[in-house]
Structures are given as structure tokens and as C-alpha cells.
Amino acid sequence: QQESLNHLQFELQGNTKGGFPWYKAKAAEQYIYFDMSCSGEAGTPARWVIDEDAPNVSAIADLDGDRNCSYHARVKTTDGTAPPKGAMWRVQCNTGWTDMWLALFRLPVTTTTKTKTTTTSTTKKAKVDMMVSSATGLPHGLAVLGLGPLLLWLLC
């Protein structure tokens, strides 16, 4: 199931009613968003989720409207400003739920400006950070977020 998430590029789509950013995959119906309560009930912890259901950006909680916490992956946090730069996510793999470290990277963004007589390009450089497994030195998971698109690899 999660192989379908590998190599997807997620792009920022805007903000939800709660003011939190949400992302959509360019080539698939997959989303990353912050949900204050995935069940819609008080006491359900806030979290970032990766889900095949588009968020209802007019809702405050239970953004996929299923009244259930059903998704591909999640990380519990009260910080909805952006998906965490590096964190242990709970991921649904073919063999069941597993904890997986996902790290976020910032990529450079190139912009091109055209005028009547000249074309100029500028590259904004961003800091690159990588979180790796302490046991193997290899990434458990990899996501790229920042000025450019978000790229996701789940290694289940």
C-alpha cells in the first residue's frame, strides 16, 4: 500500500480554516495536513497526517470528515505551523503499523524573471538537514519540504 506514496511530490496548496498549511501530491490524490482532532471529538490529540482523503479546508477538526482517525501516517504534535523537520511518524505499512523516522529537507528554489530585453535567474539557497537512523546510519524515511515541493519516500 505505501509503495504508492514513494517519490510523490507534495506542493503547498494554502491554509485550512485553522490557519495551518496543507499539501497535495502532484501526481496522486494524497495529502499532508494538520488535523486538530482527526475524530472530531474532544481529547483526540492534534497531529499531522498523510491521507488519501482531501482535507475539508473549511473545517476546524476531522478534516477528512470520516469521524475516525484513518490515514496512511501520522505524527502527534500541537505545532501546526509546518510538518516537523524530523520526527518519528506512525506509518501503516503492509505488515501493520510501524514507527518510522521521517526527515524534512529544504531545497533551493530557482525563479526566472523575464523582461523585454533581459532574462535573469536567481537561486535562493536554503539550509539542508538530514535525520538518519542511529542504528544503521541510513534514512528510515525521507521527506523534502521547504521553499520547493515536498518529496516523500516511505521505506516500509
Side-chain angles (χ1 to χ4, degrees):
Q1 169 186 353
Q2 297 328 105
E3 291 83 15
S4 64
L5 296 176
N6 287 334
H7 307 290
L8 289 181
Q9 291 187 2
F10 290 82
E11 293 183 323
L12 179 65
Q13 300 297 299
N15 290 328
T16 63
K17 185 174 182 178
F20 307 111
W22 67 282
Y23 305 83
K24 182 188 180 302
K26 286 174 71 173
E29 294 298 315
Q30 297 292 333
Y31 304 87
I32 298 176
Y33 56 88
F34 184 76
D35 203 332
M36 291 296 294
S37 172
C38 56
S39 68
E41 297 184 16
T44 302
R47 63 196 72 199
W48 279 96
V49 300
I50 301 171
D51 196 352
E52 64 193 25
D53 296 319
N56 175 352
V57 297
S58 299
I60 292 293
D62 189 20
L63 272 59
D64 63 0
D66 65 0
R67 297 191 172 273
N68 193 2
C69 296
S70 178
Y71 38 73
H72 300 305
R74 63 103 172 122
V75 60
K76 291 180 183 177
T77 179
T78 57
D79 184 1
T81 57
K85 203 171 162 182
M88 191 65 74
W89 286 65
R90 190 82 174 147
V91 178
Q92 176 68 27
C93 291
N94 293 335
T95 58
W97 288 96
T98 187
D99 292 324
M100 182 180 301
W101 187 264
L102 295 181
L104 304 177
F105 296 77
R106 293 197 175 268
L107 297 178
V109 173
T110 301
T111 58
T112 302
T113 306
K114 292 186 179 184
T115 63
K116 286 183 179 180
T117 57
T118 61
T119 300
T120 59
S121 292
T122 57
T123 300
K124 298 177 183 176
K125 294 190 179 184
K127 182 179 176 185
V128 176
D129 291 318
M130 181 171 177
M131 306 304 276
V132 297
S133 160
S134 59
T136 64
L138 298 173
H140 278 248
L142 172 67
V144 183
L145 171 69
L147 302 173
L150 175 96
L151 302 176
L152 179 68
W153 291 268
L154 295 178
L155 306 175
C156 289

